[in-house]
Each structure stands twice: as C-alpha cells, then as structure tokens.
Amino acid sequence: MKKFNVLIAIAVLLLASLACQALAGGGDSDAVELPPPLDGMDENPAVPPADGSDDDESADDFEFSFGGESDFPLPDDSKNVMSVSGTVNYQTSLSLDEVMEFYRGVYGDMGYTERQLLTVVSEGVFSMVFDGDPSGQAVVIQGVDLGDGTMNVNLRLEDT
C-alpha cells in the first residue's frame, strides 16, 4: 500500500509540474527575445551641453553635480562632493564630533534650531536635524566614520 501511495504522490507532482509549465508558457526551446535596451528611444540620448547651458526642459527633473557644488554649507576640506536631486554627499577628514560642531555652529549662526531629540550618536555614526530652513523643510545631516580618518556626510531637506 505504501508503494501505491508513493506512486500516486509522484504522479500528482508530475501532473502539477506539467500544469505549471503549461501555464507559464511551456518549456518551448524558442525563447522570447527581449527588445534591445534602446528600443523606442533615440540612439543618441540628449547630453547637456558642456558650456552648462540648458537646452532641454526635462533636464530640470533630475539634477546631478559632481565636484563641489552644494546649496548646503560644507567644511573647507570637503572632497568627493556629489549632489543628486537635492541630496549632497561628501567626505571630510574632520572627526565625527568636529563635523557635528561645524554644523551646530553654521546653522546656529543662521538661526536654525537643532532638534535635540533626533540627534543620535552611536559607534561612529551620527544623525542630526535642524529646523529653520526658508523652504519650511528640516535639514537632515547624517555621517559615518569610514575608519580611515575620513567621515562620509550626507545632507538633505525633508518635510517636517
């Protein structure tokens, strides 16, 4: 009787497998070809002019800058500055405490208020939030010690 139950179980699994294969399009050797990556797109995508002029209205949808441009205050030794759609990321040789003191000084002088409750420091990582930006959004600053004498810092505006 056990052999009969095993044979029935194998037959049920085989039928279920065939049914799944049939529903998924079968096991045809004719693979469906995907369209080429540029299908329906211009083969020469628009590239912003090197002179910085903006010929394309859609370029405003996604902003990217690499090399030092930032709407946020940055320490003098900032390097690898990258700005993508309102978020700025950079590295500095300042320590975690020095970075936090830098932003407390800069934003304090500008009249911003630190949300002490949201300030967190833990094992080489920090996060702090300042209110007072003219946009009505909060300035969020986060950093992580990379372990080689460099801090990676990220700044952005977020809705409060």
Side-chain angles (χ1 to χ4, degrees), residues 13-144:
L13 289 173
L14 181 63
L15 290 173
S17 174
L18 290 173
C20 287
Q21 190 176 17
L23 290 174
D28 298 341
S29 61
D30 298 330
V32 176
E33 287 190 40
L34 296 175
L38 294 176
D39 189 36
M41 293 178 55
D42 187 3
E43 289 195 28
N44 296 315
V47 176
D51 64 0
S53 64
D54 186 13
D55 293 6
D56 187 9
E57 293 176 24
S58 66
D60 293 334
D61 296 343
F62 183 78
E63 296 178 20
F64 178 83
S65 165
F66 190 79
E69 297 176 27
S70 171
D71 292 333
F72 296 102
L74 303 178
D76 291 334
D77 75 332
S78 299
K79 57 188 175 219
N80 300 326
V81 178
M82 186 173 16
S83 178
V84 179
S85 296
T87 297
V88 174
N89 195 76
Y90 70 91
Q91 284 83 45
T92 180
S93 60
L94 297 176
S95 70
L96 183 146
D97 291 331
E98 290 171 330
V99 172
M100 292 180 73
E101 286 307 310
F102 172 80
Y103 285 108
R104 283 182 175 132
V106 168
Y107 283 120
D109 291 347
M110 294 170 64
Y112 288 42
T113 306
E114 181 180 353
R115 288 192 206 173
Q116 296 285 331
L117 188 62
L118 296 180
T119 299
V120 178
V121 180
S122 175
E123 298 181 27
V125 176
F126 79 89
S127 179
M128 54 196 323
V129 178
F130 289 90
D131 290 316
D133 192 77
S135 69
Q137 295 178 304
V139 178
V140 178
I141 307 167
Q142 296 173 313
V144 62

